Amino acid sequence: EAPLYKDPMQPVEARVKDLLSRMTLQEKAAQMAQIERRVATPTALTDLAIGSVLSAGGSSPRDGATAEEWADMVDQMQRWALASRLGVPIIYGSDAVHGHNNLFGATIFPHNVGLGATRDKELARRIGEVTALEVRASGIQWTFAPCLAVCRDPRWGRCYECYGEEPEIVQMMTSIVSGLQGSPPEGHPSGYPFLAGQRNVIACAKHFVGDGGTHKGINEGNTICSYEELEKIHMSPYPDCFNQGVCTVMASYTSWNGEPLHSSHFLITDVLKEKLGFKGLVVSDWEGIDRLCKPHGSNYRYCVAASINAGVDMIMIPFRYEKFLEDLISLVESGEVPMSRINDAVERILRVKFVSGIFEQPFSDRSLLDVVGCKEHRLLARDAVRKSLVLLKNGKEARQPFLPLKKNAKRILVAGSHADNIGYQCGGWTIAWYGGSGRITAGTSILEAIREAIGEEAEVVHEPNPTASTLLQLQQKEPFSYAIVVVGEVPYAEMLGDRTDLSIPFNGHDTLSLIAGTIPTVALVVSGRPLVLETQLLDQIEALVAVWLPGSEGGGITDCLFGDCDFHGVLPVSWFRSVDQLPMHSSMGAGYDPLFPIGFGLRMFDK
Ligand SMILES: OC[C@@H]1[C@@H](O)[C@H](O)[C@@H](O)c2nc(-c3ccccc3)cn21
């Protein structure tokens, strides 16, 4: 009759034990390998029975692929995996970090820094729930989210992936795990993986640990601090995720006091697995083990030994899987990697797979296809945008608020590089790894939202980058009631976003100053982090809103600008005056002198 591990009525731990006992060393090593979709072939998945496949940022079956094409691809790979000797299904991972951002047409939510501004746990959970549906619609079962980094220096290119600069804010937003995976029942053992069902996805608490605390915010850099500080600032969001049964943890590229996380037995095994009791699987980051040696990828056999022995269970290789398997098997045969370590890793991987239900439901659920980018999801994203906006200035005098704007104004100017650019408002990790410009996916730009919100008789003039003379001509024809000027950062990811100069790029400052000099202006800043705002400019503009990276639903911005609802967001990060102040946090006492402090945010209506 069917082997025990295939019987869904058996307890998970019994199924894990039974399957493990049937596996050869080669099959165990293969389960510990995660490869990129471009090298996922029948050889890899059937003959070698590799355990997991991922899409790198932007890696899709084809540009603009539909959810159905994604599901066809994942299901095909699954059939290859099920044809392997023991028929162990793969789990397929992708970075759905603000909606299913690898999928064209998916709902794109505000990036984490904007969600941190909402301080709304239930919203985060709901976003997780909806994201899980759109990820599942494409046949994918695992997202590499949430990022729990506590951003201690906004010069870091991944500041926008962080919910805030204080652990309490990040801890609050970990409720997204219960949205993604479903909420575990009362009494669920902390640290043990949980997944409610086939409309939920495996989540990934990343990047363990201290990723947001590197010196000067240097990406993949070194976090220099005491163990107490590492635990208090950077580690505290992890137990919140373990209490929710998060299934996976991703190791950080960064080092702690010079020791790379990917080879830290103390932090991965003694702390994460033993002290904190994490029972799911630890996956490396992309070529995370290759970075253990200089030059990158040299001494690969050592890199494999050091990371696996440190406690990493699955390696995001992602391409040279033959070399990985050859080295790992050789290391076990030589005794440099004990079989007990291999068994621990494979047990954890199988535990997550059995808990996820993928043995019983290995294929995609096609009934979900039409939820991708659906109206209900876009309304949730629009609500998230509304709640994420932070009103930093409203009127030059206290009793003369500038917002809300009049919908029936006669003539308004909409200007700035970011007024009509869906790619810019989505930011990095959208369609391409580092994002893009223009109509990169379905959505509503800020200009389109203004045109929808404004009264019929109002004339909207769109001039991205007006010169002084253009402005004069435009004004002579008929003066403007007000101007909405949208400036900010262009999309970036990881090291591409590391910057020591945090002024508004694209001479956004000059555009703002030119326009605000002659027309009452509200400035919208589209950015993944605070940017330098000169005092003179601040004095010139009538109102200022931090919109962060709002995603596809630009309508959430005009909902607030025109007063359909009030602003509620408060800063999740300190808004510095100058980069010379960095790093700067509210806990530092005297030296804390931001332009706007963490927690700051104005209202239009209720005082
Ligand atoms: O996309 C998978 C993971 C993601 O989950 C991690 O948060 C992130 O650190 C990451 N960087 C790369 C990556 C970095 C450089 C070149 C190519 C890919 C890949 N990944």
Side-chain angles (χ1 to χ4, degrees):
E1 91 279 7
L4 187 144
Y5 74 90
K6 291 211 173 188
D7 177 357
M9 304 312 288
Q10 293 296 327
V12 164
E13 292 306 314
R15 301 178 77 181
V16 168
K17 212 161 150 356
D18 177 60
L19 178 48
L20 189 70
S21 70
R22 297 167 186 270
M23 294 170 78
T24 64
L25 171 58
Q26 283 70 18
E27 288 164 335
K28 290 178 181 177
Q31 280 300 307
M32 297 167 66
Q34 180 178 62
I35 61 176
E36 217 279 336
R37 53 167 282 283
R38 285 163 276 185
V39 297
T41 61
T43 304
L45 300 182
T46 307
D47 303 344
L48 294 171
I50 276 179
S52 177
V53 181
L54 86 143
S55 274
S59 177
S60 64
R62 71 172 176 81
D63 281 359
T66 62
E68 187 171 22
E69 288 174 274
W70 275 89
D72 288 344
M73 172 189 74
V74 177
D75 285 353
Q76 174 58 64
M77 291 179 186
Q78 195 63 282
R79 278 191 289 278
W80 292 336
L82 294 177
S84 63
R85 184 178 78 88
L86 293 167
V88 180
I90 56 164
I91 44 178
Y92 193 110
S94 180
D95 296 88
V97 294
H98 63 138
H100 190 1
N101 40 263
N102 263 341
L103 172 64
F104 182 86
T107 310
I108 303 298
F109 290 89
H111 266 297
N112 287 352
V113 66
L115 295 184
T118 72
R119 305 290 203 281
D120 187 332
K121 289 177 69 76
E122 176 50 21
L123 175 67
R125 191 199 62 73
R126 185 81 185 100
I127 289 173
E129 208 170 40
V130 160
T131 300
L133 286 172
E134 299 201 17
V135 170
R136 278 287 191 173
S138 65
I140 293 171
Q141 313 93 4
W142 182 9
T143 177
F144 303 124
C147 174
L148 304 178
V150 181
C151 181
R152 305 297 277 176
D153 194 318
R155 288 173 290 190
W156 186 34
R158 304 190 75 169
C159 181
Y160 68 86
E161 296 184 65
C162 308
Y163 292 110
E165 79 186 26
E166 296 301 339
E168 296 75 16
I169 303 171
V170 179
Q171 287 178 265
M172 187 188 287
M173 308 310 278
T174 59
S175 53
I176 192 167
V177 171
S178 290
L180 288 167
Q181 300 192 154
S183 303
E186 272 303 301
H188 179 81
S190 177
Y192 195 86
F194 173 80
L195 194 77
Q198 301 312 300
R199 302 195 153 202
N200 297 105
V201 292
I202 295 164
C204 181
K206 73 183 187 181
H207 315 75
F208 188 83
V209 66
D211 47 351
T214 59
H215 183 57
K216 290 192 167 62
I218 294 165
N219 190 53
E220 302 186 20
N222 189 20
T223 297
I224 304 162
C225 65
S226 67
Y227 178 77
E228 288 63 35
E229 186 173 346
L230 186 73
E231 195 173 61
K232 185 166 76 70
I233 304 285
H234 302 286
M235 212 178 286
S236 55
Y238 285 84
D240 295 280
C241 293
F242 302 152
N243 294 337
Q244 298 174 76
V246 74
C247 291
T248 72
V249 166
M250 185 182 291
S252 178
Y253 279 137
T254 57
S255 298
W256 175 51
N257 295 337
E259 182 186 39
L261 256 292
H262 275 76
S263 59
S264 172
H265 184 273
F266 170 64
L267 289 174
I268 303 258
T269 296
D270 298 347
V271 174
L272 174 60
K273 291 183 172 180
E274 305 297 330
K275 182 166 187 276
L276 299 180
F278 178 60
K279 296 279 185 293
L281 72 85
V282 179
V283 63
S284 82
D285 203 332
W286 177 282
E287 293 184 347
I289 70 170
D290 301 58
R291 286 164 166 67
L292 292 175
C293 291
K294 299 276 179 281
H296 177 99
S298 60
N299 282 338
Y300 193 66
R301 196 168 184 277
Y302 160 78
C303 297
V304 175
S307 52
I308 298 294
N309 281 335
V312 182
D313 303 310
M314 180 182 278
I315 304 299
M316 189 187 291
I317 297 171
F319 296 120
R320 292 185 321 177
Y321 58 84
E322 300 92 342
K323 173 82 174 110
F324 170 75
L325 295 174
E326 179 191 329
D327 283 354
L328 180 54
I329 288 160
S330 147
L331 285 161
V332 177
E333 285 166 348
S334 72
E336 290 164 87
V337 171
M339 182 55 94
S340 57
R341 177 70 269 277
I342 299 294
N343 288 338
D344 173 57
V346 179
E347 269 173 26
R348 289 168 178 270
I349 293 166
L350 296 181
R351 178 175 298 135
V352 170
K353 289 188 176 184
F354 282 118
V355 159
S356 77
I358 193 133
F359 276 84
E360 283 65 55
Q361 309 255 352
F363 298 111
S364 62
D365 174 359
R366 301 300 168 110
S367 74
L368 288 174
L369 286 176
D370 55 7
V371 306
V372 176
C374 69
K375 191 77 199 125
E376 185 196 350
H377 293 180
R378 291 189 186 279
L379 287 174
L380 175 68
R382 183 167 179 157
D383 185 39
V385 172
R386 287 195 291 261
K387 289 173 175 164
S388 67
L389 308 179
V390 182
L391 181 57
L392 295 172
K393 175 177 181 180
N394 187 15
K396 291 184 174 174
E397 307 298 333
R399 281 164 305 290
Q400 289 168 14
F402 186 69
L403 301 178
L405 299 173
K406 290 177 184 49
K407 288 185 179 179
N408 58 5
K410 279 197 65 48
R411 194 161 186 251
I412 71 170
L413 172 67
V414 177
S417 50
H418 289 53
D420 190 30
N421 195 316
I422 289 178
Y424 283 3
Q425 69 192 51
C426 286
W429 292 105
T430 316
I431 304 303
W433 175 43
Y434 35 82
S437 174
R439 195 163 291 286
I440 61 167
T441 190
T444 307
S445 75
I446 297 168
L447 175 67
E448 288 165 338
I450 293 168
R451 290 196 195 284
E452 280 173 27
I454 205 79
E456 287 76 49
E457 65 291 339
E459 183 193 357
V460 176
V461 174
H462 176 224
E463 193 60 52
N465 191 11
T467 60
S469 60
T470 322
L471 214 49
L472 214 57
Q473 282 159 10
L474 286 167
Q475 291 262 62
Q476 264 151 9
K477 183 169 170 284
E478 186 172 351
F480 289 106
S481 318
Y482 52 76
I484 301 171
V485 185
V486 194
V487 295
E489 293 189 299
V490 292
Y492 51 80
E494 303 190 53
M495 70 295 285
L496 306 178
D498 279 9
R499 287 180 59 198
T500 53
D501 164 16
L502 290 176
S503 57
I504 303 175
F506 273 174
N507 72 9
H509 180 282
D510 301 345
T511 305
L512 254 178
S513 185
L514 173 70
I515 295 170
T518 62
I519 307 168
T521 294
V522 52
L524 306 184
V525 179
V526 176
S527 66
R529 54 195 156 187
L531 297 175
V532 175
L533 296 165
E534 311 287 350
T535 315
Q536 170 254 349
L537 176 67
L538 263 180
D539 294 344
Q540 274 185 301
I541 56 180
E542 296 282 349
L544 170 66
V545 182
V547 303
W548 313 109
L549 297 171
S552 58
E553 305 312 305
I557 294 168
T558 46
D559 290 343
C560 293
L561 285 183
F562 292 102
D564 296 345
C565 66
D566 202 347
F567 289 87
H568 290 93
V570 293
L571 289 180
V573 291
S574 308
W575 200 289
F576 50 83
R577 297 174 191 279
S578 144
V579 289
D580 301 334
Q581 296 180 294
L582 301 177
M584 174 172 66
H585 314 110
S586 50
S587 51
M588 68 201 287
Y592 187 66
D593 173 34
L595 184 60
F596 301 107
I598 193 167
F600 182 84
L602 299 175
R603 300 282 175 280
M604 280 185 300
F605 307 132
D606 53 276
K607 288 299 164 225

